[in-house]
Amino acid sequence: MLSVVSLASFMVACDDDNNDNLPNRTIPEVPVSSNVDDMVVEANRFVKETMDDYYYWSEQMPKGLDYRLQENTEDYFYALRYSGDRFSFISDDVDEYNESQEGISTSMGWECIYSTVNGQSNRVVSIINYVYRNTPAYNAGARRGDVVIAVDGQEMNIDNYRLLASKSSAKYTILRYDSDKAQADPNNPYVEIEYSIQSGKIETSPLAEHSVFEADGHKIGYLLYMDFYSAFNDEMGQVFAEFKSKGVDRMILDLRYNPGGEMTALECLCSHLAPKANVANNDLLIWYKYNSTLSQYSMFSKENSASSLKDSLADATLDLKSLVVITGTGSYSASEATIIALKPYMDVYTIGDVTGGKNTSMIIFTPADFTYNNSSKPYYNKGINNWLIAPIVATYFNSVDYTFDTSDGNGMAPDYSFNEYDLDNMGMLGEADEPLTALAIEYICNGSITANANKSLHEPRKVLSHGFNTTRGGAVMNHLKPLAQ
């Protein structure tokens, strides 16, 4: 039975004292005669039993796949996954995953989006959304807005871009917007340059940029938040303490590249933003609906699994009545949940692009999480402790029982739509004149955005069409597997 659950990726918390309410594990079946390695069979058993118990669509999983005969555990997991599930994943490197939750990764140090090229549906380019400071990419000269058109002299296409993107060392040919050239030749505002990057082990904070702007008598806080990692909750508290000390009375929360994360980080963020009365009252943020098996157990009831504002942060909150959130196609899960969780308590206005569309919650499971009932004896052979699976386990709803429709593969449309990838000059994040930030400031000051705001910024990007999905660039590119999550 489950004794400890390691939680990540926008998950529900499980109380270890309630373990007797969880589904029991039985004595393992005797393997059938096959040529499949014993450790592969054991990893497959871990996948099967966990998916049977916890997977939200457990009743839709295909029947007749004998785990003892499956030669590849990863392939077996994806064969079990419901066809409508874009998000559940598996990894054979639990250490790498755990490090990622601490902001540690082996990568170049940039966030990017992959896009097709207008009129060339097979050709792919990469647009750099953000470069973390003091990383290999930053030190090599990579900057936000750079468009990677070739890797080691080879153009990317639908068939090879994953391979080229996964290189640990490469020379990148890029197009960079140049304001002087734009004045001389508005139809071709780019210069072509090259830089070489060797990936390395880096540490980054999800609290990537924060600023305070003064406009029309307001002190406007800005936070670029890249991942919901609870390991950085104390740092988040320091950022909001700075906002509070500077008299911030309005807030721009930039989640355009944030794919989600841990529930405790969402609770912390919301508790620093929401009205003080709601925080002090521990008002509900999100509750979860599970599969029919889990719904029988008290710990998975609406009351026991809900996430709420934290009264311990009542004196730390900015006590806001309104919030502007910048969204994008890279905004998933906890980013989307933050928006709907706060709407019952404050006015939330969104600017940017349609969100990614993930109104579901995951739990990270590892073989080491499971022991025999009422003992500490491992249930699975320790030889498979490198594996983890992250199945969807629930759909989430806010305090007024609302969630958003994802049937079309998208999430929530913004209140004001603006696609930053239509711009030649994407601007610098954390600066007041960055296009989406400028729109947010205009809304805060005027209560509206002028109809011709798009035209007043920059000329539309000529080369690129809207892309696939945001992804972290670097040597480890496992999460690129689904091109469009």
Side-chain angles (χ1 to χ4, degrees), residues 11 43 52 167 176 191 193 211 238 297 317 373 375 406 474:
M11 305 173 218
D52 281 346
K167 287 191 171 188
R176 176 175 291 173
V191 294
I193 62 176
S211 311
Q238 295 168 12
Y297 300 96
T317 181
N373 195 14
S375 83
T406 62

Side-chain angles (χ1 to χ4, degrees), residues 430-442:
E431 300 293 334
D433 60 356
E434 185 274 322
L436 282 166
T437 305
L439 292 174
I441 293 173
E442 180 181 354

Side-chain angles (χ1 to χ4, degrees), residues 305-321:
S305 68
S307 298
S308 302
L309 293 163
K310 300 303 175 187
D311 61 356
S312 60
L313 295 175
D315 290 333
T317 181
L318 294 180
D319 191 23
L320 300 175
K321 302 300 184 288

